[in-house]
Amino acid sequence: MSRVTVRRRVRRLTIGGRTARRDDLLAGEEPLEIRVGGRSYAVTMRTPGHDVELATGFLVSEGVVTAGDQVAGARWCAGSPGLPGVGENTYNVLDVALAAGVRPPDPTLAREFFTSSACGLCGKASIDAVRTRGAFTVADDPVRVDAATLAALPGRLRAAQDVFARTGGLHAAGLFDVATGEALVVREDVGRHNAVDKVVGWAAAAGMLPLRGTVLVVSGRASFELTQKAVMAGVPVLAAVSAPSSLAAELADEAGLTLVGFVRDPSLVVYAGGHRVVEDEDAAAGDERAGDAA
């Protein structure tokens, strides 16, 4: 069975000090082949766990499904040539069955080689294929989020990263309710795009798509792909601990998504959709007066 963490004997050195041998925990990383209707569609490197959510969220981001009930089920299969464990069930091959009437994905867009845990777009035919026209519109979501609440969310995300606390080697994504600032779900993975797919897959299974009135928080940077995944799931606000890419900011503008980076309490940087980020009126007025005086 796949493992979330792996124990390994290591040697810890302190320059000018002692050397010690001890057991250390590493974040698990194994391949997952996603099949749709028996046909191989993608292979990604991921941390095992919540794999059905990962596959469902991935299909949402690809535009294959737009709701959890469009996935009829999923089953584990034996390995296939080129993957470990050929001929036996290694829990690294998942076959997803689509509901009746749901069109299967275009086989020409299948990712027919390994993608690393850091690369979610590898294998796409072109950037135009990635700009999938989503089923949901985020531009008209009237949600507003308090800047102080937004700045505090990465800390809440970090507090929920149980496996990161033990290994120090995982990305995380969390879905938060704007009204309360409470976490709806948090998922961890060696791949930041996988962590987001797991969150979106969870939401799809719960019948929550589109994810209006929510903030998606990611533990690293905001890439084009993560922005695209947020748009495809109907998320109006994406907040990242680190910087966004230029293409991510352009896509956020196009889609009407609020994109916030460098969210590190007590500050943040708004890159797109700033109308949704609400400041304390007194503090904002003071800043404006100070700027005018300068």
Side-chain angles (χ1 to χ4, degrees), residues 50 53-61 117 157 171-175 185-204 209 211 216-233 235 238-240:
H50 306 290
E53 292 178 354
L54 191 162
T56 301
F58 176 76
L59 294 178
V60 170
S61 70
S117 54
L157 177 69
H171 291 283
L175 191 67
V185 63
V186 172
R187 292 289 183 261
E188 297 178 274
D189 200 279
V190 288
R192 56 182 179 270
H193 64 283
N194 290 336
V196 171
D197 282 340
K198 289 177 179 182
V199 165
V200 172
W202 173 88
L209 299 185
L211 286 167
L216 177 63
V217 182
V218 295
S219 62
R221 65 186 180 89
S223 64
F224 171 84
E225 184 188 29
L226 297 193
T227 306
Q228 184 252 353
K229 288 178 182 293
V231 171
M232 293 297 288
V235 175
L238 173 61

Side-chain angles (χ1 to χ4, degrees), residues 72-87:
R75 66 185 181 91
W76 298 108
C77 306
S80 60
L83 288 177
V86 175

